[in-house]
Amino acid sequence: MLPADTDRAWCRFPYKLSWDGTGWQPRDTSQGEFDYNPFAYDVGTLGRVLCTEYQHLTPQIPMLAPFLDRMVTRNIPVRFNAMEALRFFEAFVVGIPDKVMNLKYASGPDAGYDTCDRWEGLPPDFIKKWEDYREPPIAFSTSVLRWICSFDRMCYIVPPLIPPKVIGPFAPLIVELSTKYFIQWYFEILLNNLRLGMKAFEDVRL
């Protein structure tokens, strides 16, 4: 248990602890992160569950789009905390007509929570009003990082936690810079191995 005065905005756990759970976790540590915010992670986990169950209902309940996107956004500093998510939900749920709430809906397609476009088909004026809440598509660089970190060996390469002295307001910046240098180092190793392989191949030909 954490102390009651724990600052939830800057609390961090080692990334390996994020592997424990039900399998509904967000992908907050899938890009080579050293640590994660357990409170934001919990909100992301609930958001992923809600996306699985209800994201296909945005045509009937448009406010689900900004609500769910902000619960699972990859931009963790702007992700809802638990209280913000509850307040947002309570604010929009009262405006849903009873006839919509009382309808029975079929289960939605098996769409990924981080790839589904929950805004598809919504009115342009609604999208414009809530565009700040819209989650952008997954960047190519993020996909590359996820691919690199998908190999089992990565759990032995990525350090388990950044030094405690940098846990604080500058931790996200240090994590970002450390990850960039790590990826640069990793690709340098790959390129060096490729060069050695090509040289060995040329030597054999000669």
Side-chain angles (χ1 to χ4, degrees), residues 76-181:
I76 298 176
V78 303
R79 182 182 293 172
F80 280 148
N81 61 38
M83 185 58 67
E84 290 170 341
L86 177 61
R87 289 173 178 169
F88 192 93
F89 175 79
E90 290 178 338
F92 82 78
V93 75
V94 296
I96 302 176
D98 290 340
K99 63 179 181 179
V100 175
M101 293 290 288
N102 294 331
L103 288 176
K104 292 184 178 180
Y105 297 100
S107 299
D110 187 16
Y113 83 98
D114 58 350
T115 56
C116 175
D117 183 5
R118 288 174 279 273
W119 301 74
E120 183 178 2
L122 298 184
D125 57 339
F126 178 87
I127 295 176
K128 180 65 177 178
K129 179 179 179 180
W130 295 98
E131 61 183 353
D132 290 343
Y133 286 72
R134 189 173 188 176
E135 183 72 354
I138 298 175
F140 175 73
S141 58
T142 299
S143 298
V144 171
L145 287 173
R146 289 182 177 181
W147 174 76
I148 293 174
C149 296
S150 66
F151 296 98
D152 293 340
R153 178 60 56 180
M154 294 302 294
C155 66
Y156 302 103
I157 297 176
V158 179
L161 185 64
I162 59 177
K165 63 182 179 181
V166 300
I167 298 293
F170 296 103
L173 174 61
I174 294 177
V175 170
E176 180 181 358
L177 293 176
S178 300
T179 302
K180 288 181 178 179
Y181 285 124

Side-chain angles (χ1 to χ4, degrees), residues 20 27 29 43 67 155 164 189 203:
D20 300 330
R27 305 191 67 177
T29 58
V43 173
F67 174 64
C155 66
I189 291 178
D203 291 343

